[in-house]
Amino acid sequence: QKEVEQNSGPLSVPEGAIASLNCTYSDRGSQSFFWYRQYSGKSPELIMSIYSNGDKEDGRFTAQLNKASQYVSLLIRDSQPSDSATYLCAGGTGYALNFGKGTSLLVTP
Amino acid sequence: KAGVTQTPRYLIKTRGQQVTLSCSPISGHRSVSWYQQTPGQGLQFLFEYFSETQRNKGNFPGRFSGRQFSNSRSEMNVSTLELGDSALYLCASSLGGARGTETQYFGPGTRLLVL
């Protein structure tokens, strides 16, 4: 079973703080990893993709991948109330992505 | 560039019926993947089509099938509907390169309710 595990939360952070979201995966053959954000009643939208060990930064978002530990994380700096959503971690090989069940993030004003 | 479109957006069916959902990918994208999202199981991969061929398949029963047309548009069909098939069905499109690492972009989804 190729599993992606995430803490369901909710993770509550104050506005302006750093939110840290984590994910582990079981399939060592996974080559690509993604973080998607999903607002209630909407479809997932891409936040970040990462393929190599290390950090990747894009604006307020930083994704980190550690293939040895089978660990992926997402840091959101200067969190805003509009960041409140469910964050889905996904990984896989080819186009059959395995998704975690998501972490609910709440940013309080 | 227009995004992924899915029709219909909402659907109500009764047990035993069948349903067909449609997905039009982003222009130039040749790969279409289908996912089922439920509160209990999260997002689960159904299958992926590229150049009219099923290239990957998830662990769903044979009642779930799909196809892709020459213009990359895709349909999925669920026969003999069960209550547990109630879910949000999402399709995602990507360029479809052989390495399989390109980003998948999701459509708005079709919400299916089986009564």
Side-chain angles (χ1 to χ4, degrees):
Chain A
Q1 188 79 349
K2 299 175 181 178
E3 295 184 339
V4 174
E5 301 285 346
Q6 295 182 254
N7 188 320
S8 62
L11 173 65
S12 182
V13 300
E15 183 175 356
I18 295 175
S20 178
L21 305 166
N22 306 309
C23 152
T24 58
Y25 61 94
S26 64
D27 181 12
R28 285 196 172 272
S30 295
Q31 297 179 323
S32 49
F33 301 88
F34 304 90
W35 283 98
Y36 286 87
R37 177 173 63 194
Q38 187 173 27
Y39 293 111
S40 180
K42 301 294 185 181
S43 63
E45 58 177 325
L46 181 73
I47 298 295
M48 294 281 288
S49 61
I50 187 165
Y51 307 105
S52 304
N53 280 328
D55 296 357
K56 179 181 178 183
E57 185 174 321
D58 184 0
R60 297 187 296 113
F61 300 94
T62 298
Q64 299 173 316
L65 173 60
N66 183 325
K67 290 187 177 181
S69 300
Q70 296 176 247
Y71 176 88
V72 192
S73 68
L74 179 70
L75 297 177
I76 306 175
R77 290 180 298 281
D78 189 23
S79 295
Q80 301 298 309
S82 59
D83 293 327
S84 298
T86 295
Y87 289 78
L88 302 170
C89 173
T93 303
Y95 295 95
L97 289 179
N98 302 300
F99 280 82
K101 293 186 178 180
T103 297
S104 175
L105 173 65
L106 178 63
V107 181
T108 55
Chain B
K1 187 182 277 191
V4 181
T5 59
Q6 291 186 244
T7 57
R9 295 291 311 278
Y10 304 92
L11 209 46
I12 299 176
K13 292 286 187 179
T14 57
R15 278 179 300 173
Q17 288 186 309
Q18 74 166 15
V19 66
T20 299
L21 312 181
S22 180
C23 172
S24 292
I26 293 170
S27 178
H29 284 192
R30 298 172 63 193
S31 169
V32 174
S33 298
W34 288 90
Y35 293 86
Q36 180 196 66
Q37 187 174 33
T38 59
Q41 297 299 317
L43 261 165
Q44 294 184 287
F45 173 73
L46 281 155
F47 30 65
E48 183 243 350
Y49 285 86
F50 177 80
S51 292
E52 302 178 64
T53 300
Q54 187 181 87
R55 190 163 60 172
N56 291 283
K57 187 178 187 306
N59 296 321
F60 276 80
R63 300 186 297 109
F64 292 82
S65 62
R67 60 177 175 168
Q68 186 180 37
F69 302 94
S70 58
N71 62 356
S72 295
R73 189 178 70 85
S74 177
E75 290 181 346
M76 69 163 282
N77 183 275
V78 187
S79 62
T80 319
L81 284 166
E82 301 177 358
L83 295 179
D85 297 332
S86 295
L88 179 66
Y89 289 88
L90 293 158
C91 84
S93 81
S94 63
L95 290 170
R99 288 191 61 204
T101 56
E102 289 112 9
T103 298
Q104 295 183 36
Y105 297 91
F106 283 88
T110 294
R111 190 165 295 279
L112 171 65
L113 177 62
V114 182
L115 301 177

